[in-house]
Amino acid sequence: MKTIFTLCSLFCVVLSLNAQITVTSANMPVVGDTCRYSSAPISSVGNYTATGANYNWDFSSLDSTGQGMRKFVASSATPYSFYFFSPKYGEKTADSIPIPAIPTTTLNLTMKNIYTFYKKNGTSSFNAEGTGVSIMGLPVGSTASSSSNDDKLYFFPLTYGNRDSSNFKFSTPSFSAVPFLYKKQGYRITEVDGWGSITTPYGTEQCIRVVTTQYSQDTITINQLPAGFNTFGFPNYVRSYQWLTLTEKIPYLEVSGSMLLGNFVPTQARYRDRIRYNFVGVKEEESLLALSVFPNPANTELTLILPQSSSGVEAQITDLQGKLIQSKTLERNSGLVHA
């Protein structure tokens, strides 16, 4: 009888260690959270598309090329407090992003000091409430006109098999003092397609795997230019593979990139981590380590935004069939790559 009890106890322990977790709003970041991550080259990630029930993802061989911090701050501590009030809070997501040239003009504009603002919608969802951008030296918030137009990043509870979609629409105000109009609208599809455990250089945790895809159209209108020649729109199709746990406020691992004609092109990988001092290629950076490519696809030229510390990055351009068109080593501020 004693032996049977011991075996049953062990069986229950095994079950509890391999049980599916459920992520709720309590597992999302709040004001004051700071989370360190390491950036990793895509080549070190391995097979990030494999998934399923009770799956064990092993990413222990990830390299670290540098580190950054995700910081969630009160909206009052950002340049956009006039547009986003508590309980909304912000995260700086990029220092600057060049805007593709508006046809028939010689304007070279850049969106600077870019923030994303969040809000927990009770226990039902975690929303992006809008974006703060500075264009032509003016900080302006691009906000949703109502909660129904929020970008709902996650619906709760997040459990295996969930699949949700929602529309979103952000716009800067139409004040006469604002010389430009920035709109972002589209829809998002989020699916929990796996659960199990994940191992990275940071450790091992129980997790769920979430794939979230945003299909949006971004539009810039410069009021000082003649109507019909003052607006430029560009698609912004992006996907993110995320491994979420109960212990961390950001993904344990996230692989993100662009969607090109229905195919995913990974451009960034980063994972939750502790302080490290030995990196592959670059030193530690407190700033965000991001890589953006636009327009994508491109016919004649494209722009790549590299981390400030980047140098000697090897870029390859391929056609839709994967045939190599051009290979070039890029240095910081090297400008455009012409195909």
Side-chain angles (χ1 to χ4, degrees):
M1 188 70 178
K2 180 178 179 181
T3 302
I4 294 175
F5 177 78
T6 302
L7 290 174
C8 288
S9 298
L10 283 173
F11 184 66
C12 291
V13 170
V14 171
L15 283 179
S16 65
L17 289 176
N18 292 281
Q20 179 191 166
I21 66 170
T22 298
V23 172
T24 69
S25 62
N27 305 115
M28 295 295 105
V30 297
V31 174
D33 281 338
T34 59
C35 303
R36 182 178 298 274
Y37 64 85
S38 280
S39 295
I42 296 297
S43 58
S44 73
V45 176
N47 188 357
Y48 58 84
T49 60
T51 192
N54 200 18
Y55 196 92
N56 297 315
W57 291 274
D58 185 358
F59 299 107
S60 57
S61 61
L62 285 169
D63 293 328
S64 178
T65 58
Q67 293 194 309
M69 293 285 286
R70 294 188 62 178
K71 302 177 181 179
F72 301 89
V73 300
S75 55
S76 58
T78 75
Y80 310 101
S81 57
F82 177 80
Y83 303 94
F84 300 95
F85 303 103
S86 180
K88 300 170 186 176
Y89 50 99
E91 175 192 13
K92 189 174 183 178
T93 51
D95 288 321
S96 64
I97 298 177
I99 300 171
I102 297 177
T104 72
T105 77
T106 59
L107 285 176
N108 292 314
L109 300 176
T110 300
M111 291 191 292
K112 297 183 177 180
N113 215 20
I114 298 122
Y115 277 75
T116 299
F117 288 86
Y118 307 102
K119 179 184 176 182
K120 291 185 180 183
N121 185 23
T123 59
S124 62
S125 63
F126 183 62
N127 301 352
E129 296 273 315
T131 304
V133 298
S134 179
I135 304 178
M136 304 172 70
L138 184 66
V140 177
S142 182
T143 63
S145 58
S146 65
S147 59
S148 62
N149 288 327
D150 292 345
D151 184 4
K152 299 173 179 60
L153 304 179
Y154 309 115
F155 289 89
F156 302 118
L158 280 172
T159 57
Y160 179 56
N162 284 9
R163 189 177 191 275
D164 297 291
S165 63
S166 63
N167 298 321
F168 58 86
K169 185 177 182 180
F170 302 143
S171 178
T172 53
S174 57
F175 301 154
S176 59
V178 179
F180 63 88
L181 182 68
Y182 171 58
K183 292 183 178 180
K184 183 183 184 71
Q185 61 182 5
Y187 65 96
R188 178 181 297 277
I189 299 174
T190 301
E191 181 178 8
V192 183
D193 67 353
W195 68 272
S197 67
I198 179 172
T199 299
T200 72
Y202 186 60
T204 300
E205 289 286 344
Q206 296 300 110
C207 68
I208 56 173
R209 211 280 285 275
V210 177
V211 182
T212 179
T213 308
Q214 170 197 279
Y215 300 92
S216 74
Q217 179 78 10
D218 293 8
T219 305
I220 301 286
T221 300
I222 308 299
N223 297 335
Q224 69 190 54
L225 298 177
F229 302 94
N230 62 346
T231 299
F232 180 80
F234 49 98
N236 190 358
Y237 298 169
V238 294
R239 172 170 292 173
S240 174
Y241 292 83
Q242 304 174 357
W243 286 258
L244 304 182
T245 69
L246 301 179
T247 58
E248 310 299 331
K249 298 292 187 177
I250 64 173
Y252 212 73
L253 170 67
E254 180 175 16
V255 179
S256 55
S258 303
M259 294 298 296
L260 176 60
L261 298 179
N263 297 313
F264 176 65
V265 181
T267 57
Q268 178 178 263
R270 58 188 189 183
Y271 61 95
R272 183 74 170 94
D273 207 2
R274 62 184 64 83
I275 296 177
R276 297 184 185 276
Y277 298 99
N278 297 318
F279 304 111
V280 178
V282 299
K283 298 180 180 179
E284 179 180 14
E285 289 290 336
E286 288 299 326
S287 59
L288 291 171
L289 302 175
L291 171 65
S292 296
V293 181
F294 63 85
N296 191 355
N299 291 322
T300 58
E301 65 180 33
L302 56 85
T303 299
L304 290 86
I305 304 172
L306 303 175
Q308 187 174 8
S309 60
S310 295
S311 63
V313 175
E314 184 71 20
Q316 294 183 343
I317 301 174
T318 62
D319 61 17
L320 297 181
Q321 285 72 46
K323 180 182 178 181
L324 181 64
I325 302 299
Q326 182 177 347
S327 179
K328 182 176 181 179
T329 299
L330 304 178
E331 301 294 337
R332 185 155 54 98
N333 299 324
S334 61
L336 294 173
V337 177
H338 296 272

